[in-house]
Amino acid sequence: LAYRSESTVNWCPALGTVLANDEVKDGVSERGGHPVVQKKMMQWSLRISAYAERLLQGLEEIDWTEALKESQRNWIGKSKGASVHFPLKDHNEKIEVFTTRPDTIFGVTFMVLAPEHELVDQITTLEYKAEVEAYKERAAKRSERDRMADVKTVSGQFTGAYVVHPFSGKEVPVWIGDYVLASYGTGAVMSVPGHDSRDWAFAKHFNLPIIEVVSGGDITVESYDAKEGTLVNSDFLDGHKVKDAIAKAITQIEEQGLGKGKTQYRLRDAIFGRQRYWGEPIPVYFE
């Protein structure tokens, strides 16, 4: 249940300690106003994510209001979809993404990694190294909460690397962007700007291609995010309704060894990393 792993935390060098999200305001510590950065450190965690499904089922058996139960369901955040591997051009590694919309895979025109993603340093080309390092440094000064809440600011940096689209074989550029979090999912998203509002804003800002793969909206004005419509520009998925296309896409992904159907939860393991005398008094036997 308890384990040690490298986790991204709020580190305050001046105080010499890890801070909780609510102890950080505008990139500085609430006490003393010292700079706080996102840093990977070894931390103790409790594996509460292993109990996600039991927690969901348990909500049906307790006497709470429906509104409170719904907020808990959203916190646990169960989503079904597929895990897909995109091979990196000129590298042996693959980038894994989790998507709830595998039906839109032919609409992928770029990929975005979290600035802290473990492959960023490996795949960044010499031409873009300075820009990528500068972007990573800026992102490290913002908390995950700030990055999630800020939906208006569009920022990112091209790495110079490309992945190969698993079905079409086309080269897809790899960017980093602070709207993707290393601690959520795989820390990478396959960007489908025609059908995801954040991807659409990113594509517009950086002048990246936007392809319609689900009919029903006007992607020149905004992304069409609805889970309904007919697939277009999508090879073997053309003509299928969204629900059927999702199932067919997962089948093809599994049959061709490109990934697998998967259920994921937003709920994350609880990190216990307060190096202070008032830290959580949890006895742990560590051999």
Side-chain angles (χ1 to χ4, degrees):
L1 180 61
Y3 67 97
R4 269 164 59 86
S5 68
E6 200 173 51
S7 307
T8 303
V9 293
N10 300 315
W11 173 250
C12 180
L15 296 177
T17 189
V18 170
L19 298 176
N21 284 334
D22 52 17
E23 295 173 312
V24 182
K25 300 282 186 254
D26 301 319
V28 297
S29 62
E30 195 175 34
R31 296 188 187 189
H34 304 293
V36 175
V37 295
Q38 297 288 295
K39 185 178 178 181
K40 281 193 171 181
M41 299 177 71
M42 289 300 289
Q43 300 292 316
W44 280 102
S45 294
L46 291 183
R47 209 182 301 276
I48 58 172
S49 59
Y51 299 86
E53 190 58 38
R54 278 176 63 184
L55 289 167
L56 264 181
Q57 299 305 322
L59 286 171
E60 306 305 318
E61 300 169 22
I62 54 179
D63 185 20
W64 283 2
T65 64
E66 193 51 41
L68 189 54
K69 286 184 183 183
E70 193 56 30
S71 71
Q72 289 292 304
R73 290 187 192 106
N74 290 336
W75 176 256
I76 295 166
K78 182 177 182 177
S79 52
K80 292 183 178 180
S83 169
V84 190
H85 295 93
F86 285 72
L88 274 156
K89 184 191 174 190
D90 300 328
H91 291 271
N92 293 326
E93 287 86 357
K94 296 177 179 179
I95 293 177
E96 181 187 359
V97 300
F98 171 78
T99 177
T100 58
R101 295 294 305 274
D103 57 308
T104 65
I105 195 162
F106 286 96
V108 175
T109 57
F110 59 100
M111 181 166 285
V112 183
L113 306 183
E116 310 85 5
H117 193 286
E118 59 187 6
L119 288 176
V120 171
D121 290 341
Q122 284 177 248
I123 67 175
T124 300
T125 60
L126 280 172
E127 185 183 354
Y128 293 98
K129 209 157 191 68
E131 290 94 332
V132 166
E133 284 303 318
Y135 187 87
K136 283 171 62 181
E137 201 172 309
R138 288 197 300 274
K141 293 174 182 174
R142 303 183 71 204
S143 69
E144 283 193 354
R145 184 179 287 179
D146 290 341
R147 284 162 58 175
M148 288 170 69
D150 186 6
V151 294
K152 292 179 181 176
T153 307
V154 178
S155 73
Q157 175 57 51
F158 180 45
T159 63
Y162 292 84
V163 289
V164 179
H165 193 288
F167 286 115
S168 71
K170 291 179 181 174
E171 292 182 7
V172 177
V174 181
W175 289 64
I176 58 172
D178 66 4
Y179 74 96
V180 182
L181 304 177
S183 58
Y184 181 64
T186 63
V189 296
M190 62 172 218
S191 300
V192 184
H195 306 282
D196 180 275
S197 56
R198 271 205 145 171
D199 293 343
W200 189 87
F202 196 97
K204 280 289 182 185
H205 187 82
F206 292 108
N207 199 28
L208 295 163
I210 300 174
I211 302 171
E212 180 182 51
V213 289
V214 182
S215 63
D218 182 358
I219 62 168
T220 61
V221 179
E222 62 181 355
S223 61
Y224 178 63
D225 298 3
K227 276 194 173 184
E228 53 188 47
T230 305
L231 274 288
V232 294
N233 303 318
S234 295
D235 197 87
F236 60 86
L237 297 175
D238 280 354
H240 289 275
K241 295 295 183 185
V242 167
K243 191 176 179 182
D244 294 336
I246 289 174
K248 190 173 176 67
I250 292 174
T251 300
Q252 284 295 315
I253 286 165
E254 291 184 335
E255 284 182 359
Q256 296 189 33
L258 307 172
K260 59 183 179 181
K262 190 177 181 182
T263 299
Q264 189 160 290
Y265 301 88
R266 186 183 295 119
L267 184 72
R268 288 181 273 177
D269 290 342
I271 298 170
F272 291 93
R274 315 279 182 267
Q275 293 96 359
R276 295 171 294 211
Y277 68 88
W278 64 84
E280 296 82 352
I282 296 181
V284 177
Y285 174 74
F286 180 54
E287 189 175 322

